[in-house]
């Protein structure tokens, strides 16, 4: 009988808990690595990612190695949500391609609609 009551009490406590919405930090950075071996070729991307909610911007510096035997490609991607612009910069050739951003501001982190 005590076991049943204990089990019931645990179930009531677990069922009554509700997840809370939490905020991610306003500014943070992270390292990213992607590897995709396909048909004997390895595609690799190493990147440093920067996020700034206060300044409404994101940036990443990518080192792209498409075949592991070719020259690396160094790309910096900057997204400025206040200006609604994205800049793709090839660091070696200094080519810059700018395109308008078609989505709203920098929204990384947790949002109220994510929590049931």
């Amino acid at each position: 009988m005590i076991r049943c009551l204990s089990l019931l009490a645990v179930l009531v406590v677990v069922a009554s808990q509700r997840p809370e919405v939490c905020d991610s930090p306003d500014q943070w950075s992270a390292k990213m690595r992607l590897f995709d071996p396909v048909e004997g070729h390895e595609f690799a991307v190493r990147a440093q990612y920067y996020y700034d909610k206060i300044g409404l911007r994101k940036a990443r510096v990518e080192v792209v190695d498409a075949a592991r035997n070719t020259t690396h490609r160094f790309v910096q991607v900057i997204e400025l949500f206040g200006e609604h612009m994205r800049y793709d910069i090839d660091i070696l050739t200094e080519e810059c391609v700018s395109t308008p951003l078609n989505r709203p501001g920098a929204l990384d982190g947790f949002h109220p609609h994510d929590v049931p």
Side-chain angles (χ1 to χ4, degrees):
M1 183 66 168
I2 293 178
R3 279 187 173 170
C4 290
L5 289 175
S6 298
L7 180 61
L8 182 62
V10 168
L11 290 175
V12 167
V13 168
V14 170
S16 66
Q17 292 182 355
R18 176 135 177 99
E20 293 182 22
V21 177
C22 60
D23 293 325
S24 62
D26 288 340
Q27 297 174 324
W28 51 270
S29 67
K31 291 185 179 183
M32 176 182 76
R33 289 183 175 222
L34 298 173
F35 297 98
D36 187 19
V38 177
E39 298 178 15
H41 297 93
E42 287 191 25
F43 177 80
V45 177
R46 292 186 316 268
Q48 182 72 32
Y49 182 80
Y50 304 95
Y51 173 76
D52 181 9
K53 183 178 179 181
I54 297 167
L56 292 174
R57 58 189 172 193
K58 295 181 189 180
R60 65 183 179 276
V61 178
E62 299 178 348
V63 178
V64 181
D65 184 4
R68 291 289 182 156
N69 295 326
T70 61
T71 305
H72 289 37
R73 204 169 59 108
F74 297 89
V75 180
Q76 183 172 16
V77 179
I78 302 170
E79 296 175 321
L80 302 175
F81 292 93
E83 299 175 12
H84 303 289
M85 291 298 294
R86 172 187 167 126
Y87 301 95
D88 294 287
I89 305 164
D90 188 319
I91 295 173
L92 296 177
T93 64
E94 296 183 0
E95 278 186 47
C96 178
V97 177
S98 61
T99 56
L101 283 173
N102 297 326
R103 60 181 197 264
L107 299 174
D108 282 351
F110 299 98
H111 308 287
H113 66 274
D114 292 338
V115 179

